[in-house]
Amino acid sequence: MSVNPSYCVPFVTNGCTFGGNCSRRHDIFKCSCGRILLEEYRKPHTKGNAHRQALQAIQKSGAQIPKSSSTGSVPRNRAGRSSRRSATAQYAAARQESSSSSPVQEQLVCEHCRRKVDNADYDAHVEGHMQRQRMDDALAELEEAKNDKEGVVVSGRNGIDFGILAGDCTVEIGITITSTLSAVSLNRCRVESSTRKDEHGVKFSARLRGKGRVIPKGATRHLSVVFHPSYAGKYDDNLALVFFDLEKRSTFVITRSVAATVGDAEDHEQLKAKAPYKRRRIFRIDPIGTVVPSMRPPTWSKTPWVDKLLPFYPPERLIKMAFGPPPVVRQAYTNVKKHYMPAVFNENTYAWFFQTLLYLEEHQVKLDLEAYSLSDVELKADYPRYKLLVEGLAENRPSVLVGDFIHVSHHEPPETLNTNRTWYEGRVHKVHENHVTLLFGENFSTYKGTKFDVRFVLNRLPFRRMHQALVNKVNPKRLLFPEQAHIQGVTRVSAKQMEDISPANRLVKEDEEQLETVAAILNQAPGSVPFVVFGPPGTGKTITIVEAMNQILDRDPNARILACAPNNSAADLIAMKLMNRGPSQIYRLNALSRKLDDMDQSLRRFSSINDNLVFAMPDKESLQKFRVVVSTCLSAGVPASLGLERGHFSHIFIDEAGQGKEPELMIPIKSIADDKTNVILAGDNQQLGPIINSSLASSLGLKLSYLARIMQREIYDLAKYKGITIVKLIKNFRSHPDILRFSNEQFYNSELQTCGNVALTHSLVNYEELPKKQFPLMFHSVVGKDEREASSPSFFNIIEATQVKKYCISLITNRKNNIKAEHIGVITPYHAQRCKILDLLHKDVRFRDIKVGSVEEFQGQERRVIIISTVRSNTDYVTSDIRRSLGFVANKSRMNVALTRAQALLIVVGNPTVLSLDPLWRSFLNYIHSRGGWRGKEIDWDPKEPVFSDGSYDATRKSQAEAELEDTIAKLRAMVIQKHEDDGFEIDDEDDEDQDAAAFERPILREAE
């Protein structure tokens, strides 16, 4: 027995969980005859024939007649729609009624999700539930509309998919309509996107083949659905078929979804998901029991450490407070801040503050790593070592380095996974693309077919080094909290001091800011406050600090420099720029776990490498002979641990200082600096910051870099202290003015000046694919599909990958462009997309030198051409958290870095509808559109409207999508309700096929499955 969909059936059966906030009607009752009707019809119904006949039928069947239900708390004389009054009004009334007897509680339990919600947020919270219920109902109604009904069967129940098309010609698919019970007529055929509300949509159209619109009983007619030529992308629409039953004189609707993808079929076949995405099962393994130790990699040389590292284990109470069950976690921020964070942050509480944050960060990294635990896997013998297959190793899921530990134990069923048993500690000796080589202790052995449980163990060495630096007693206020008192009497360098400098790099002489920076560093008194070199993109900050190093070394034979960076690539760059001083002065210090092949061969003679082709540590006597030691910040603790005296280095330079965590930068500073050591920080707080895994540690302050924190202090105000504590480099030598303009305005107060080589920066202003010549920026608007495969959580987008490939081909094959593969860089935020793009490019040897990587991999680098694939294209605005659809893309620092790598040409490929949810991306898209650099799918908002930084564009888009969904439902209902004679429908026996066919060229014909 059908029930009006607007009635709340649970209300009269098991009870409605939504209560007074339900969006469906509660002014109903369930009669003893089984029917559910409006309360106002109770009396006439119970006195009517239908009621009596239904009761008689129940009695004849022997069943017990149920009692009639009432509407309980809903008054019988209440108007039908009164139950739909707003949640705000209902809750306000309830709160007012209870206020006289009891005080207002701080929180209420939501009767839908059982969560505690603040009073002030309760109404909006409940409205959210109601809105989701309305959307669920609407989606269910749309799904029901796809069902065949009244004996009419329409093919393509799961959708009409045109597949992958070239997009250069019209394509037609035929579907069948069969009427099995009675004769029907196809009153209307409507494509949802049609502006005329008929069968002609934006990209799809439909027509019934043959004579007239009547489908006799038992007959089958064919309907043609046509896709019209278009640009690359994914296209979706809905087709509504309105039928009229000629016998029953009733109208009904059957719908079908329609889809087509314009792209490269060969690319789609090559890049399609290898297996359906399935979220990887997580095994949390706690190694309870005995752990049998492993052996140190025999390829490592012994290191004569003097200063031993302490363990620094995280306090158990802190970990339980921060990572306990959900009720505890919700209060973690408040509790940790109250019980484990100092009330005042100064030089006396400095170590306490950051140690707490490091403990939180370490435990989160430990949890993340343990999530990759494996169960029921096999170790392959490669005596005396063993091979362990680790899927996802290539994309650092998990991240494993030489020297890391891995615990293995004989496989146990899930219920006994964390019971007491023996674990064998394996040491990683080599890391390959999809497996690691392990060496165990002498007591370990296995045979073919034996299965193991595997747990990845966090390498705590980096965290221990940071703790060791934090807890030492050296806490100089001039370095940690510099203030006015530390710069008394300090003035800017004079013109003569600048003129006296004879730069090794003659270009420095031509840049006033660079020259002043070098002079200021050179003339700093020993024991000064940290000097900041604020270097926006392309301004030559690394060149500047290397020049300062050279000047210091040339002027002071006793000077010793420790030059650091948060990562190996930035440290290598410094070493390469100092190579001309020779290996007797320059030493590149490397971690034992670093792969030899990761470093440029030209730097090998500046490093210690043993006979096993593995990096080694020098002894104290060897290290102290060098005038410059270059290392990462983490390895910068080595000199002190080898026994070098505090103050051995007169200067400590840290490049890319904004990328490292503050405790990371304290390793070189607090471990080896004395009261005379000068510290120079170079970086840009508008570019990439530290990578923090713990959201709690991040929110408590770990996400703020040392550079950014220092620059917030009063004495680093550029307007007052330029040349004294800080210099901002403003001449950009990298990019075309139009490429730089957006970032310059958004991040650098329009202070940057374009001073690049015009022959280079303007070399592609007439590139044949540019929508507007002389404007070397392009946004290629495309609606693709972001996908995942197997157990990898990383996204890829085949349509965007194809588009990237096409631009690479056009740039390299046209000799007028004078572009080689090494001139092109492709930036994408997802590893899976990187792999897919490389798969396409590596098919042709000409494209194999194109670098494809993440934003982090391009920090500090530049290319003549940069192509960005943004990947994300989730347009399910109704049921998903669409702001999260942006993923890594909606990060200001990443965006700034990505947009400022290009010298002569910048191409961005992405879905504008998704990107425009972020205010900064919306502004960038408006900028390109206003200058004529738009290609592909048209913009669907007004680019002339001002963009608000706090604009809730995601909420607006979601509301718009919900309104469109409700409008679609209303239209479908209207089609059903509309009477036949109002349609203007007339049975036409004339053959209208020729007339319809004249509207388009003869298409390719394919049948739907």
Side-chain angles (χ1 to χ4, degrees), residues 875-918:
T875 53
D876 183 7
Y877 304 120
V878 174
T879 61
S880 65
D881 183 353
I882 53 179
R883 189 59 184 267
R884 290 188 63 186
S885 296
L886 284 165
F888 293 124
V889 181
N891 179 293
K892 292 182 178 180
S893 298
R894 278 194 176 93
M895 181 180 178
N896 184 30
V897 173
L899 298 183
T900 53
R901 300 305 96 191
Q903 296 170 302
L905 177 64
L906 174 64
I907 300 173
V908 181
V909 182
N911 185 330
T913 309
V914 173
L915 292 174
S916 65
L917 302 178
D918 178 75

Coordinates of all heavy atoms in Angstrom, one line a residue, residues 875-918:
T875 N 32.4 17.5 -7.9 CA 31.4 18.5 -7.9 C 30.1 18.0 -7.3 O 29.0 18.5 -7.6 CB 31.1 18.8 -9.4 OG1 30.8 17.6 -10.2 CG2 32.2 19.6 -10.0
D876 N 30.2 17.0 -6.4 CA 29.1 16.5 -5.6 C 28.8 17.5 -4.5 O 29.1 17.2 -3.3 CB 29.3 15.1 -5.1 CG 28.1 14.5 -4.4 OD1 27.0 15.2 -4.5 OD2 28.2 13.4 -3.8
Y877 N 28.2 18.6 -4.8 CA 28.1 19.7 -3.8 C 27.0 19.4 -2.7 O 27.0 20.0 -1.7 CB 27.8 21.0 -4.4 CG 28.8 21.4 -5.5 CD1 28.4 21.6 -6.8 CD2 30.1 21.5 -5.1 CE1 29.4 21.9 -7.8 CE2 31.1 21.9 -6.1 CZ 30.7 22.1 -7.4 OH 31.6 22.4 -8.3
V878 N 26.1 18.4 -3.0 CA 25.0 18.2 -2.1 C 25.4 17.3 -1.0 O 25.1 17.6 0.2 CB 23.8 17.6 -2.9 CG1 22.7 17.1 -1.9 CG2 23.3 18.5 -3.9
T879 N 26.1 16.2 -1.3 CA 26.4 15.2 -0.2 C 27.8 15.3 0.3 O 28.1 14.6 1.3 CB 26.1 13.8 -0.7 OG1 27.0 13.5 -1.8 CG2 24.7 13.7 -1.2
S880 N 28.7 16.0 -0.3 CA 30.1 16.0 0.2 C 30.5 17.3 0.8 O 29.9 18.3 0.6 CB 31.1 15.6 -0.9 OG 31.0 16.7 -1.9
D881 N 31.6 17.3 1.6 CA 32.2 18.5 2.1 C 33.0 19.1 1.0 O 34.2 18.8 0.8 CB 33.1 18.2 3.3 CG 33.7 19.4 4.0 OD1 33.5 20.5 3.4 OD2 34.3 19.3 5.1
I882 N 32.4 20.0 0.3 CA 33.1 20.5 -1.0 C 34.3 21.3 -0.7 O 35.2 21.4 -1.6 CB 32.1 21.2 -1.9 CG1 31.4 22.4 -1.1 CG2 31.1 20.3 -2.5 CD1 30.5 23.2 -2.0
R883 N 34.4 22.0 0.4 CA 35.7 22.7 0.7 C 36.9 21.8 0.8 O 38.0 22.1 0.4 CB 35.5 23.5 2.0 CG 36.7 24.5 2.2 CD 36.7 25.5 1.1 NE 37.9 26.4 1.2 CZ 37.8 27.6 1.7 NH1 36.7 28.0 2.2 NH2 38.9 28.4 1.8
R884 N 36.6 20.6 1.3 CA 37.7 19.6 1.4 C 38.1 19.1 0.1 O 39.1 18.5 -0.1 CB 37.3 18.4 2.3 CG 37.2 18.8 3.8 CD 37.0 17.6 4.7 NE 38.1 16.7 4.6 CZ 38.1 15.5 5.2 NH1 37.0 15.1 5.9 NH2 39.2 14.7 5.1
S885 N 37.2 19.3 -0.9 CA 37.5 18.8 -2.3 C 38.7 19.5 -2.8 O 39.4 19.0 -3.7 CB 36.3 19.1 -3.2 OG 35.2 18.3 -2.9
L886 N 39.1 20.7 -2.3 CA 40.2 21.4 -2.7 C 41.5 20.7 -2.3 O 42.6 20.9 -2.9 CB 40.2 22.8 -2.3 CG 39.2 23.7 -3.0 CD1 39.0 25.0 -2.2 CD2 39.7 24.1 -4.4
G887 N 41.4 20.0 -1.1 CA 42.6 19.3 -0.7 C 43.8 20.3 -0.5 O 43.7 21.4 0.0
F888 N 45.0 19.8 -0.9 CA 46.2 20.6 -0.8 C 46.2 21.8 -1.6 O 47.0 22.7 -1.4 CB 47.4 19.7 -1.2 CG 47.7 18.5 -0.3 CD1 47.7 17.3 -0.8 CD2 47.9 18.7 1.0 CE1 48.0 16.2 0.0 CE2 48.1 17.6 1.8 CZ 48.2 16.4 1.3
V889 N 45.3 21.9 -2.6 CA 45.3 23.0 -3.5 C 45.0 24.3 -2.8 O 45.6 25.4 -3.1 CB 44.3 22.8 -4.7 CG1 44.3 24.0 -5.6 CG2 44.6 21.5 -5.4
A890 N 44.1 24.3 -1.8 CA 43.7 25.5 -1.1 C 44.7 25.8 0.1 O 44.3 25.9 1.2 CB 42.3 25.3 -0.5
N891 N 45.9 26.0 -0.3 CA 47.0 26.4 0.7 C 47.7 27.6 0.1 O 48.3 27.5 -1.0 CB 47.9 25.2 0.9 CG 49.0 25.6 1.9 OD1 49.9 26.4 1.6 ND2 49.0 24.9 3.0
K892 N 47.6 28.7 0.8 CA 48.2 30.0 0.2 C 49.7 29.9 -0.1 O 50.1 30.3 -1.2 CB 47.9 31.1 1.2 CG 46.5 31.5 1.3 CD 46.3 32.7 2.2 CE 44.8 33.1 2.4 NZ 44.7 34.3 3.3
S893 N 50.4 29.3 0.8 CA 51.9 29.2 0.6 C 52.2 28.3 -0.6 O 53.0 28.7 -1.4 CB 52.5 28.7 1.8 OG 52.3 29.5 2.9
R894 N 51.5 27.2 -0.7 CA 51.8 26.3 -1.9 C 51.4 27.0 -3.2 O 52.1 26.8 -4.2 CB 50.9 25.0 -1.7 CG 51.6 24.0 -0.8 CD 50.9 22.6 -0.9 NE 51.5 21.6 -0.1 CZ 51.1 21.3 1.1 NH1 50.1 21.9 1.6 NH2 51.8 20.3 1.7
M895 N 50.3 27.7 -3.1 CA 49.8 28.4 -4.4 C 50.8 29.4 -4.8 O 51.2 29.5 -6.0 CB 48.5 29.0 -4.1 CG 47.9 29.7 -5.3 SD 46.3 30.4 -5.0 CE 45.9 31.2 -6.6
N896 N 51.3 30.2 -3.8 CA 52.3 31.2 -4.1 C 53.6 30.6 -4.7 O 54.1 31.1 -5.7 CB 52.7 32.0 -2.8 CG 53.6 33.1 -3.1 OD1 53.6 33.7 -4.1 ND2 54.5 33.4 -2.1
V897 N 54.1 29.5 -4.2 CA 55.3 28.9 -4.7 C 55.0 28.4 -6.1 O 55.8 28.6 -7.0 CB 55.7 27.7 -3.8 CG1 56.9 26.9 -4.4 CG2 56.1 28.2 -2.4
A898 N 53.9 27.7 -6.3 CA 53.6 27.1 -7.6 C 53.5 28.2 -8.7 O 54.0 28.0 -9.8 CB 52.3 26.3 -7.6
L899 N 52.8 29.3 -8.4 CA 52.6 30.3 -9.4 C 53.9 31.1 -9.7 O 53.9 31.8 -10.8 CB 51.5 31.3 -9.0 CG 50.1 30.7 -8.7 CD1 49.2 31.9 -8.3 CD2 49.6 30.0 -10.0
T900 N 54.9 31.0 -8.9 CA 56.1 31.9 -9.1 C 57.3 31.1 -9.5 O 58.5 31.6 -9.4 CB 56.4 32.6 -7.8 OG1 56.5 31.7 -6.7 CG2 55.4 33.7 -7.4
R901 N 57.1 29.9 -10.0 CA 58.3 29.1 -10.5 C 58.5 29.4 -12.0 O 59.6 29.1 -12.5 CB 58.0 27.6 -10.4 CG 57.8 27.0 -9.0 CD 58.9 27.4 -8.0 NE 58.5 28.6 -7.3 CZ 59.4 29.2 -6.5 NH1 60.7 28.9 -6.5 NH2 59.0 30.3 -5.8
A902 N 57.5 29.9 -12.7 CA 57.6 30.1 -14.2 C 58.4 31.4 -14.6 O 58.2 32.4 -14.0 CB 56.2 30.1 -14.8
Q903 N 59.2 31.2 -15.6 CA 59.9 32.4 -16.1 C 59.2 33.0 -17.3 O 59.1 34.2 -17.3 CB 61.3 31.9 -16.6 CG 62.2 31.4 -15.5 CD 63.5 30.8 -16.0 OE1 63.4 29.8 -16.8 NE2 64.6 31.3 -15.6
A904 N 58.7 32.2 -18.3 CA 58.2 32.8 -19.5 C 56.8 32.4 -19.8 O 56.1 33.0 -20.6 CB 59.1 32.4 -20.7
L905 N 56.3 31.2 -19.2 CA 54.9 30.8 -19.5 C 54.4 30.0 -18.3 O 55.0 29.1 -17.8 CB 54.9 29.9 -20.8 CG 53.6 29.2 -21.2 CD1 52.6 30.3 -21.6 CD2 53.8 28.2 -22.3
L906 N 53.1 30.3 -18.0 CA 52.4 29.6 -16.9 C 51.1 29.1 -17.4 O 50.3 29.9 -17.9 CB 52.2 30.6 -15.7 CG 51.4 30.0 -14.5 CD1 52.1 28.8 -13.9 CD2 51.2 31.1 -13.5
I907 N 50.9 27.8 -17.3 CA 49.6 27.2 -17.7 C 49.0 26.5 -16.5 O 49.7 25.7 -15.9 CB 49.8 26.2 -18.9 CG1 50.4 26.9 -20.1 CG2 48.5 25.5 -19.2 CD1 50.8 26.0 -21.2
V908 N 47.8 26.8 -16.2 CA 47.1 26.1 -15.1 C 45.9 25.3 -15.6 O 45.1 25.9 -16.4 CB 46.6 27.1 -14.0 CG1 45.9 26.3 -12.9 CG2 47.8 27.9 -13.5
V909 N 45.8 24.0 -15.3 CA 44.8 23.2 -15.8 C 43.9 22.8 -14.6 O 44.5 22.2 -13.6 CB 45.3 21.9 -16.5 CG1 44.1 21.1 -17.0 CG2 46.2 22.3 -17.6
G910 N 42.6 23.0 -14.6 CA 41.8 22.7 -13.4 C 40.4 22.9 -13.6 O 39.9 23.4 -14.7
N911 N 39.6 22.5 -12.6 CA 38.1 22.7 -12.6 C 37.8 24.1 -11.9 O 38.0 24.2 -10.7 CB 37.5 21.6 -11.9 CG 36.0 21.7 -11.9 OD1 35.4 22.7 -11.9 ND2 35.3 20.5 -11.8
P912 N 37.4 25.1 -12.6 CA 37.2 26.4 -12.0 C 36.1 26.4 -11.0 O 36.2 27.2 -10.1 CB 36.8 27.3 -13.3 CG 36.2 26.3 -14.2 CD 37.0 25.1 -14.1
T913 N 35.1 25.6 -11.2 CA 34.0 25.6 -10.2 C 34.5 25.1 -8.8 O 34.1 25.7 -7.8 CB 32.9 24.6 -10.7 OG1 32.5 24.9 -12.0 CG2 31.7 24.7 -9.8
V914 N 35.4 24.2 -8.8 CA 35.9 23.7 -7.5 C 37.0 24.7 -7.0 O 36.9 25.1 -5.8 CB 36.6 22.3 -7.7 CG1 37.3 21.9 -6.4 CG2 35.5 21.3 -8.0
L915 N 37.9 25.2 -7.9 CA 38.9 26.1 -7.4 C 38.3 27.4 -6.9 O 38.9 28.0 -6.0 CB 39.9 26.4 -8.6 CG 40.7 25.2 -9.0 CD1 41.5 25.6 -10.3 CD2 41.7 24.8 -7.9
S916 N 37.2 27.9 -7.5 CA 36.6 29.2 -7.1 C 36.0 29.2 -5.7 O 35.6 30.2 -5.2 CB 35.6 29.6 -8.1 OG 34.5 28.7 -8.1
L917 N 36.0 28.0 -5.1 CA 35.5 28.0 -3.7 C 36.5 28.6 -2.8 O 36.1 29.1 -1.7 CB 35.3 26.5 -3.3 CG 34.3 25.7 -4.1 CD1 34.2 24.2 -3.6 CD2 32.9 26.3 -4.2
D918 N 37.7 28.7 -3.2 CA 38.7 29.3 -2.4 C 38.9 30.8 -2.8 O 39.1 31.0 -4.0 CB 40.1 28.6 -2.5 CG 41.2 29.2 -1.7 OD1 41.2 29.1 -0.5 OD2 42.0 29.9 -2.4

